[in-house]
Amino acid sequence: MATKPRTLFDKIWDSHLVEMQPDGTGLLYIDRHLVHEVTSPQAFEGLRVAHRKVHRPDATITVPDHNVPTSNRAGGIKDEESRIQVELLERNAKEFGLTYFGMDDIRQGIVHIIGPEQGLTQPGMTIVCGDSHTATHGAVGALAFGIGTSEVEHVLATQTLIQRRPKNMKVEVNGTLGLGVTPKDVILAIIGKIGIAGGTGHVIEYTGDVFRRMSMEGRMTVCNMSIEGGARAGLVAPDAITFDYLKGRPYAPKAGAWEQALAFWKTLPSDPGAHYDTTVSLDAATIVPLVTWGNKPEHVVPITGVIPNPDDEPDEERRNGMRRALDYMALKPGTKMTDIAVDHVFIGSCTNGRIEDFRAAAAVAKGRKVAPGVRAMAVPGSGLVKHQAEEEGLDKILLEAGFEWREPGCSMCLAMNDDKLKPGERCASTSNRNFEGRQGPGGRTHLVSPAMAVAAAIAGKLADVRQLG
Amino acid sequence: MDKFTTVTGVAAPLPTINVDTDMIIPARFLKTIQRKGLGKNLFDAQRYKPDGTENPDFVLNKPAYRKAQILVAGPNFGCGSSREHAPWALQDFGIRVVIAPSFADIFYGNSFKNGILLIALPQEICDQLMDDAKKGANARLTVDLETQTITRPDGSVVKFDIDPFRREALIDGIDEIGLTEQKRVEIGAFEDKARAAQPWLWVPAR
């Protein structure tokens, strides 16, 4: 039967439709549900009230990450509300018969780090989590997207979601990346080009030789920030790099099943001639190390650049938005980015908290010292990332340089635990959002890659990692 | 969930683009295990000064808008996180309708599930409604979901489009999970097929 050429997204969507409803929405089957402590309490409570069970405990994994302390774990969680949320997740997991990676489990970590790490996320799957950075899992060629708590409850109860089919968007990056240009810079460049609402209503497929050559962890960094470009999901077609990454992971298919899964996964990449509603292209050679200056991830400039002038922006609302951001960030147009001093440096988060990120950080930090007065934190994304980094001696290099080496969690990405900026403090951060108050009320965030974060820590101000030699 | 028919009242003007979910409800208020009680922290960073007292310049602190049920905002309202605490905070404050040129995807779905009607209208119409909103207590809007209309203070009427499924859900207050549970047979049949085709996805978790 001749079929219309389909995209990777089309194939996953079509194969997970339980049925189309008369009103044009689809009932979509969900293969994997990842659950953390912040967006699930009300969902479990809803199940209890309605005497409902979890439809597929075997497809549901729970882990605390947002509230967990990243130091002195033995002392428990001091903040009462944080402790209640984490304890409640454990109780809910027990009551509903779900797998739980607790704080004392080496597999515990940020939900979007441990999914791929454990092989829980696989090509062709539908994956959801009550968290907008769920798009991370799209790196393995899965359709992964964030949902609200009502939808968390819906998936727990029925393993399905009522959804309207999103559109296809292709973001193509071809060519060769320059020295010092990382996956973080690639996704910041894409967001800078399409804007923070550019992907609204779309699923982004990242294509082109830059992504074909990119490591799995780099692809995760890129897919992770799809939501910062407005897209609920982003994905990369699975290939040999994907398969090598997944093979042997705890939840990956085992011998026998592996061959069967592999044969299926190889059918997933988009067909030649498949239709995309929107296509955006970037030339890899034009991407340089980037840094954000404002309070939206689209506020990017090259590290060699200056703070833009709102007067040059023709649109009034956007101009006002820029002025508001400059006011919040206490910055003036024309200031060189490399003249902006930082108080804090944060390396971690579901965007850049994987082993390759700490290798990149350690490579820059080796033999250097964090500038006086700068507090620099390295927070691994999971217990296993921490363990691996310590096996490789990366912790020692970072500690030697003056970084703190901490326990795994979301930490200063959103400041729900004790790791937060004080009002007015400025931070070079490898996380994903530079929103007002994101890293603590009044805190000021500049998004950068791990290598650039270390460069900033050493220079005491935003710095071009390429100048460090 | 409260059933939705019409809302009449002043509309609070919030002419800011890209109002993000961290702005609507900062992360430190996400530690609650309830849906209720977040209204007092809605727009916390704008609404209160660092010492905890009210910022009189913020729109929802002005006498005319303290009980506003309608918000008129800039494009891409609700961008950022998936936290349903954002619509919970709006709803707990008393906001039933947000009008803007566009909304972020996850926030859009979350709002309707909490009885909040989001109306996307072209920029120039939003500009007119923003002007109405700025007139304060003397200018009331009526939003009627049945007829899909907004009646402006001058009596002129603006039509709006809405997904029929979402419209029905707001008017009838339907239980989506209950509705899906009626598809038990279809879901079961899908699972049988999926299990045969991709048995590796059905290995019990440990």
Side-chain angles (χ1 to χ4, degrees):
Chain A
M1 187 177 81
T3 50
K4 211 173 99 189
R6 293 185 299 167
T7 65
L8 165 60
F9 160 73
D10 292 334
K11 293 180 191 183
I12 302 176
W13 177 272
D14 292 347
S15 66
H16 286 81
L17 265 185
V18 175
E19 66 168 24
M20 282 300 291
Q21 328 253 22
D23 59 22
T25 58
L27 189 62
L28 194 71
Y29 195 80
I30 303 302
D31 293 320
R32 185 75 74 202
H33 189 187
L34 306 166
V35 177
H36 66 68
E37 80 278 20
V38 179
T39 55
S40 65
Q42 297 85 351
F44 283 114
E45 184 58 21
L47 291 188
R48 258 192 298 271
V49 167
H51 304 289
R52 288 177 170 129
K53 292 185 177 136
V54 173
H55 183 74
R56 273 195 65 191
D58 65 305
T60 313
I61 301 283
T62 65
V63 65
D65 53 6
H66 285 58
N67 282 283
V68 299
T70 60
S71 62
N72 190 22
R73 281 270 167 98
I77 306 177
K78 278 192 231 95
D79 182 274
E80 194 188 347
E81 284 186 298
S82 289
R83 194 183 66 243
I84 288 171
Q85 263 193 352
V86 171
E87 287 172 356
L88 187 56
L89 180 66
E90 183 169 11
R91 279 212 306 280
N92 283 329
K94 210 168 272 171
E95 181 182 336
F96 291 95
L98 312 177
T99 301
Y100 175 74
F101 294 170
M103 264 181 18
D104 54 355
D105 188 327
I106 194 168
R107 299 172 298 176
Q108 181 269 337
I110 306 172
V111 64
H112 308 309
I113 302 273
I114 69 166
E117 186 175 83
Q118 291 294 321
L120 285 162
T121 57
Q122 299 165 19
M125 273 184 165
T126 48
I127 301 163
V128 295
C129 174
D131 195 289
S132 62
H133 293 109
T134 306
T136 314
H137 309 270
V140 304
L143 175 62
F145 55 93
I147 57 178
T149 299
S150 296
E151 289 180 317
V152 168
E153 187 178 337
H154 198 278
V155 176
L156 288 172
T158 69
Q159 207 59 31
T160 64
L161 275 177
I162 300 168
Q163 296 286 298
R164 203 165 269 289
R165 187 187 188 111
K167 292 182 189 148
N168 278 289
M169 180 173 191
K170 174 155 82 171
V171 173
E172 200 173 27
V173 188
N174 284 305
T176 306
L177 294 174
L179 202 68
V181 180
T182 69
K184 182 64 163 282
D185 301 301
V186 173
I187 186 61
L188 285 173
I190 292 168
I191 296 163
K193 183 168 171 113
I194 68 174
I196 61 166
T200 303
H202 292 77
V203 167
I204 299 178
E205 182 178 346
Y206 299 97
T207 72
D209 36 332
V210 162
F211 302 111
R212 288 275 69 86
R213 283 193 299 265
M214 198 177 272
S215 71
M216 275 312 296
E217 298 196 356
R219 294 175 188 180
M220 289 176 209
T221 299
V222 170
C223 288
N224 172 273
M225 288 188 71
S226 300
I227 187 69
E228 312 317 331
R232 213 169 164 185
L235 33 70
V236 176
D239 59 11
I241 292 174
T242 321
F243 309 143
D244 285 350
Y245 173 89
L246 284 170
K247 193 158 193 180
R249 294 199 176 257
Y251 287 85
K254 298 285 178 278
W258 173 262
E259 286 69 29
Q260 200 185 352
L262 196 61
F264 168 67
W265 294 344
K266 287 179 175 170
T267 68
L268 289 169
S270 298
D271 301 325
H275 173 74
Y276 294 88
D277 302 278
T278 312
T279 297
V280 174
S281 298
L282 274 82
D283 176 2
T286 63
I287 304 175
V288 296
L290 294 169
V291 53
T292 63
W293 59 265
N295 296 121
K296 294 290 181 268
E298 68 182 11
H299 291 155
V300 293
V301 281
I303 183 63
T304 51
V306 298
I307 303 280
N309 193 334
D311 294 343
D312 300 335
E313 169 59 53
D315 180 78
E316 189 192 343
E317 270 183 328
R318 291 181 62 84
R319 192 161 60 239
N320 289 339
M322 288 173 75
R323 287 203 178 110
R324 180 191 170 95
L326 287 179
D327 185 47
Y328 182 86
M329 294 295 285
L331 293 169
K332 293 205 163 45
T335 308
K336 284 172 71 176
M337 297 312 293
T338 48
D339 284 344
I340 298 171
V342 298
D343 308 294
H344 261 265
V345 169
F346 171 63
I347 302 179
S349 84
C350 57
T351 312
N352 284 122
R354 297 177 192 83
I355 190 66
E356 287 178 10
D357 299 313
F358 293 102
R359 285 181 190 142
V364 181
K366 192 165 183 150
R368 297 192 168 102
K369 293 284 181 199
V370 170
V374 173
R375 185 175 177 196
M377 266 185 196
V379 182
S382 72
L384 286 165
V385 169
K386 180 168 189 263
H387 177 74
Q388 173 78 25
E390 288 170 356
E391 291 275 292
E392 296 179 19
L394 306 178
D395 60 324
K396 288 207 179 60
I397 295 171
L398 289 166
L399 284 163
E400 186 77 12
F403 275 83
E404 295 171 24
W405 179 248
R406 300 174 75 94
E407 301 293 332
C410 297
S411 182
M412 205 189 260
C413 174
L414 87 170
M416 277 190 74
N417 67 354
D418 289 337
D419 309 340
K420 59 185 82 162
L421 298 179
K422 292 190 193 73
E425 282 186 335
R426 191 178 296 282
C427 181
S429 176
T430 67
S431 53
N432 40 57
R433 288 194 178 128
N434 49 359
F435 294 168
E436 292 173 22
R438 174 81 178 178
Q439 295 191 290
R444 298 169 178 143
T445 305
H446 295 273
L447 302 176
V448 289
S449 72
M452 291 277 286
V454 178
I458 290 159
K461 51 191 189 172
L462 297 176
D464 189 340
V465 66
R466 297 169 301 182
Q467 302 296 313
L468 284 178
Chain B
M1 192 168 86
D2 300 337
K3 293 185 184 186
F4 196 109
T5 47
T6 65
V7 170
T8 297
V10 296
L14 193 66
T16 308
I17 59 167
N18 302 319
V19 170
D20 61 60
T21 49
D22 285 68
M23 222 179 257
I24 299 172
I25 185 83
R28 63 185 183 282
F29 302 111
L30 272 48
K31 296 183 183 184
T32 176
I33 57 171
Q34 322 253 320
R35 289 171 194 252
K36 300 248 173 259
L38 288 164
K40 61 180 184 294
N41 301 114
L42 176 70
F43 296 116
D44 195 88
Q46 282 83 52
R47 220 161 121 207
Y48 304 105
K49 295 182 196 168
D51 67 3
T53 60
E54 278 189 8
N55 168 14
D57 298 331
F58 186 66
V59 61
L60 296 180
N61 289 333
K62 293 180 180 171
Y65 303 111
R66 296 182 78 90
K67 291 198 167 143
Q69 291 180 279
I70 305 169
L71 202 59
V72 185
N76 196 32
F77 188 88
C79 62
S81 114
S82 64
R83 60 187 70 164
E84 200 160 314
H85 309 68
W88 291 340
L90 286 164
Q91 197 230 24
D92 194 56
F93 178 87
I95 301 287
R96 300 296 310 277
V97 184
V98 185
I99 303 167
S102 56
F103 297 92
D105 286 341
I106 308 179
F107 175 79
Y108 190 79
N110 285 345
S111 293
F112 280 91
K113 289 188 170 28
N114 290 281
I116 299 174
L117 170 62
L118 303 187
I119 302 175
L121 286 167
Q123 181 75 53
E124 53 277 19
I125 296 176
C126 285
D127 289 346
Q128 292 169 16
L129 296 171
M130 187 71 79
D131 289 341
D132 290 341
K134 284 176 179 167
K135 289 175 189 148
N138 299 321
R140 292 155 74 86
L141 300 181
T142 295
V143 178
D144 187 331
L145 183 55
E146 295 269 7
T147 57
Q148 296 180 215
T149 56
I150 302 169
T151 307
R152 298 179 57 200
D154 66 3
S156 65
V157 171
V158 174
K159 290 278 284 179
F160 63 86
D161 287 330
I162 182 94
D163 197 324
F165 175 73
R166 296 195 194 279
R167 178 173 174 273
E168 196 188 331
L170 279 186
I171 292 173
D172 299 336
I174 58 165
D175 165 21
E176 269 189 35
I177 296 177
L179 219 60
T180 300
E181 280 179 336
Q182 292 171 19
K183 309 276 179 189
R184 215 173 271 123
V185 174
E186 288 84 350
I187 294 169
F190 178 92
E191 289 179 325
D192 290 343
K193 226 170 56 189
R195 192 196 291 259
Q198 298 176 44
W200 64 90
L201 294 183
W202 298 77
V203 178
R206 286 139 290 164

